[in-house]
Amino acid sequence: MDLSAISPTLLVASLMVAATPILLAAIGELVVEKSGVLNLGVEGMMITGAISGFAAAVLTGSPMIGFLCAALGGAALSVIFAIITQYFLSNQVATGLALTLFGLGLSAMLGQSYVGIKPPASVKLDLPLVSDIPVIGPILFSHDFTVYAALTLVTGVWWFLKYTRGGLILRAVGESHDAAHALGYKVVRVRILAIMFGGACAGLGGAALSLVRVPQWTEGMTAGAGWIALAIVVFASWKPARVLLGAYLFGGVAVLQLNLQAAGVSIPVEYLSMSPYLITIVVLVVMSANRSKSALNAPAALGRVFHASR
Amino acid sequence: MKLKSILAGAALAMTAATGTLAETTKVGFVYVGPVGDGGWTYEHDKGREAVVAAFGDKVETMYVESVPEGPDAERVMTDMALKGADLIFTTSFGYMDQTINVAAKFPNVKFEHATGYKQSDNVSVYSARFYEGRAVQGHIAGHMTKSNIVGYIGSFPIPEVIRGINAAYIHAKEVNPDVQFKIIWAYTWFDPTKEADAAKVLIEQGADVVLQHTDSTAPQAAAQAAGNVITFGQASDMAAYGPKPRVSSIIDNWGPYYIARTQAVMDGTWASTSTWDGIGAGMVGIGEITSAVPAGVKASAEALRDSLADGSYHTFTGPLNKQDGSVWLKAGETAADYGDEGLASMGFYLEGLDSEVPN
């Protein structure tokens, strides 16, 4: 056992990269749930984004077009969910699950000819001098741009929800769609936009996986990342800053268990792989122990079908 | 009258059907990964293509990709047998019990299980001595590493993988006594995400050589991104990543074996056998050693390869001790294939490796 081989600096730097896909998907889902919609199709939208982005990047040779197409692909899939749940008033849980299964199958079909291909390298920040500063350099200034994009997005969502009129309307729709409707806000329109934003974020998360973190395409490569993103939103009690914390915690454990193995620590890896989920369960128990407090956090209209009867 | 003619017609149709069946031999392949993995399954599929090329219309092949190691494999094999397969190759260690189970239900179908050790009347086993290739990799790795840290991505702690680690380690240590191996178990044969993460972690912990016993090219991509790291192609040449990071490779060559076994089924001479061939028989190939390796190292690596091929040197030649210091092989002794301490069931590390074999 040689724990000194694990460099904390590199550990932090690599957990940021490892957490980026789930962070992107989770911040998108947070906005969707804040508008009162529960979309369980994150996994499906992520993997659709992963293959759309990968295919576009390979075909055009440009990772930026790849990311754009990934966002479009994820959003396109979410439109199906939006139409079915908002116009046909279907059950959101069942529709979301169907969307995940559909996305997994669709991506496997689209990706058949892309297995084993190398995608073009994406842009990495490499500032002379600044990137070489010990500790701070590797952690803050030498990442792929998706890491910064995800952080910017989290800040943006926090600001939007807290300080803008649009954010207030979105939250109102999520808390009480009847009241928001009575005030003259377009509930369905707000929700569709939120769902599409969530889809685009999930798609970007998928592309962060297939174009940056791996970078390669394989069938089912998201391997449950979408579900982790859903868990993180609840874990974070619908607060953007806590989503960041949750994503880094999950990413950190994933990276840490590999580091411990390489350093020769003989704890069975299964315990470490379990730990983030255990923490989620504990947090959920703690949250629901105090009903009044948890009711404050969760959007009141979450998962409820809205039908404008008047 | 009517019934009679129907029966006659049915009988005729059946003779016609069995007639065509006898002409074409159906060969099934069960794959653990996608054929496009660029590694293990890709090479098995090249073996399948070799069978098609050799027999043309006389064979009909079928395959199923990405079959999980577990109960689902049994379903796939049963399905192939019901579709009339005469010979089925199950190409991963984890299909061992499933192959034996399904074979018991279809005594007329021949089965060939790769890298396992359970045989029966209609189940043959076959494998390649990949550890001979690992010896060559270890030799190059020992010479090339500057940090004296070699990273190793293992799949599952099974004898085949442990043999590979031991073979690579003793040959690296032979040329570089200070070399240290860091081992990460990915617990998968094919998961580019996990393999890439594992490679990155090894590189962060100082490894400048990464060996992999998993099937995707993701570790190669990670090494390329990191810069000054070398890797070896696994199961397939992975030449797209040469001349650096990929400096050489182990190439599995299944084609000749698959053709011979299909021929045996056609001739009716197929019998349950156990085949374990290495570099000498051509089942294991060493991919071109690229210009990133100094000429002297390349020459000694090729000499090692040739001595393994002609049988003048055995990968595991004593004196060799187990990790706990007890004697495994005395000076000059070579490892037996089978038996309690034989290679086929090797479950221990050799002296000098400082991690533990997981349970």
Side-chain angles (χ1 to χ4, degrees), chain B residues 122-315:
Chain B
N122 59 335
V123 179
S124 283
V125 290
Y126 65 101
S127 184
R129 295 180 187 272
F130 308 114
Y131 64 83
E132 295 185 349
R134 295 282 168 197
V136 178
Q137 290 187 351
H139 179 86
I140 298 174
H143 275 296
M144 296 288 287
T145 178
K146 292 190 182 68
S147 62
N148 292 331
I149 297 173
V150 173
Y152 205 112
I153 306 170
S155 46
F156 295 95
I158 58 170
E160 182 197 332
V161 180
I162 293 170
R163 273 197 306 273
I165 294 172
N166 284 328
Y169 177 68
I170 57 175
H171 289 87
K173 201 169 104 177
E174 188 184 4
V175 296
N176 181 351
D178 297 327
V179 79
Q180 188 200 351
F181 270 41
K182 284 186 190 270
I183 301 160
I184 290 186
W185 296 97
Y187 293 97
T188 174
W189 286 112
F190 182 79
D191 182 342
T193 315
K194 270 192 193 152
E195 294 172 50
D197 283 350
K200 282 180 205 160
V201 165
L202 289 167
I203 293 165
E204 280 169 14
Q205 292 204 10
D208 59 356
V209 179
V210 175
L211 303 181
Q212 63 177 102
H213 205 134
T214 49
D215 302 341
S216 90
T217 52
Q220 314 274 332
Q224 197 162 40
N228 234 353
V229 177
I230 64 165
T231 57
F232 296 84
Q234 151 68 7
S236 187
D237 202 21
M238 301 187 178
Y241 290 91
K244 211 180 168 193
R246 172 235 171 260
V247 295
S248 181
S249 58
I250 294 178
I251 306 170
D252 308 349
N253 182 15
W254 306 109
Y257 181 76
Y258 287 173
I259 292 171
R261 300 307 282 172
T262 309
Q263 185 69 53
V265 168
M266 287 175 172
D267 299 345
T269 57
W270 190 95
S272 174
T273 56
S274 168
T275 306
W276 201 6
D277 284 339
I279 297 177
M283 204 179 246
V284 176
I286 301 294
E288 193 216 341
I289 300 171
T290 64
S291 53
V293 178
V297 176
K298 182 179 176 179
S300 60
E302 284 173 345
L304 176 63
R305 176 195 68 193
D306 295 341
S307 68
L308 287 163
D310 64 23
S312 58
Y313 173 70
H314 189 286
T315 309

Side-chain angles (χ1 to χ4, degrees), chain B residues 40-181:
Chain B
W40 178 258
T41 297
Y42 173 72
E43 289 298 325
H44 281 287
D45 199 55
K46 269 172 64 178
R48 182 189 65 82
E49 284 168 1
V51 170
V52 174
F55 298 105
D57 292 345
K58 288 197 289 180
V59 292
E60 192 184 323
T61 62
M62 50 182 143
Y63 65 87
V64 180
E65 299 171 270
S66 303
V67 178
E69 297 179 322
D72 204 33
E74 213 161 304
R75 183 186 60 79
V76 172
M77 289 171 209
T78 307
D79 189 51
M80 280 186 177
L82 289 173
K83 279 184 186 149
D86 301 292
L87 175 64
I88 297 174
F89 291 95
T90 57
T91 64
S92 190
F93 178 81
Y95 301 148
M96 183 157 66
D97 293 332
Q98 287 78 16
T99 307
I100 296 290
N101 292 348
V102 177
K105 285 185 232 160
F106 296 94
N108 294 326
V109 180
K110 318 294 183 206
F111 289 82
E112 298 264 351
H113 177 234
T115 68
Y117 52 81
K118 287 187 184 168
Q119 256 181 281
S120 75
D121 287 346
N122 59 335
V123 179
S124 283
V125 290
Y126 65 101
S127 184
R129 295 180 187 272
F130 308 114
Y131 64 83
E132 295 185 349
R134 295 282 168 197
V136 178
Q137 290 187 351
H139 179 86
I140 298 174
H143 275 296
M144 296 288 287
T145 178
K146 292 190 182 68
S147 62
N148 292 331
I149 297 173
V150 173
Y152 205 112
I153 306 170
S155 46
F156 295 95
I158 58 170
E160 182 197 332
V161 180
I162 293 170
R163 273 197 306 273
I165 294 172
N166 284 328
Y169 177 68
I170 57 175
H171 289 87
K173 201 169 104 177
E174 188 184 4
V175 296
N176 181 351
D178 297 327
V179 79
Q180 188 200 351
F181 270 41

Side-chain angles (χ1 to χ4, degrees), chain A residues 2 5-6 10-11 14 17 115-116 118 209 212-216 218 221 255 258-259 261-264 266 269, chain B residues 34 36-37 182-185 187 190 192-193 196-198 200-202 204-205 216-218 221 224 240-241 356:
Chain A
D2 181 18
I6 303 176
L10 291 175
L11 185 71
S14 57
V17 178
V115 178
K118 265 200 278 185
L209 200 63
V212 180
R213 188 169 159 208
V214 177
Q216 222 173 55
T218 349
M221 71 182 299
V255 176
L258 292 171
N259 265 294
Q261 264 206 70
S266 54
V269 291
Chain B
D37 69 353
K182 284 186 190 270
I183 301 160
I184 290 186
W185 296 97
Y187 293 97
F190 182 79
T193 315
D197 283 350
K200 282 180 205 160
V201 165
L202 289 167
E204 280 169 14
Q205 292 204 10
S216 90
T217 52
Q224 197 162 40
Y241 290 91
E356 282 169 41

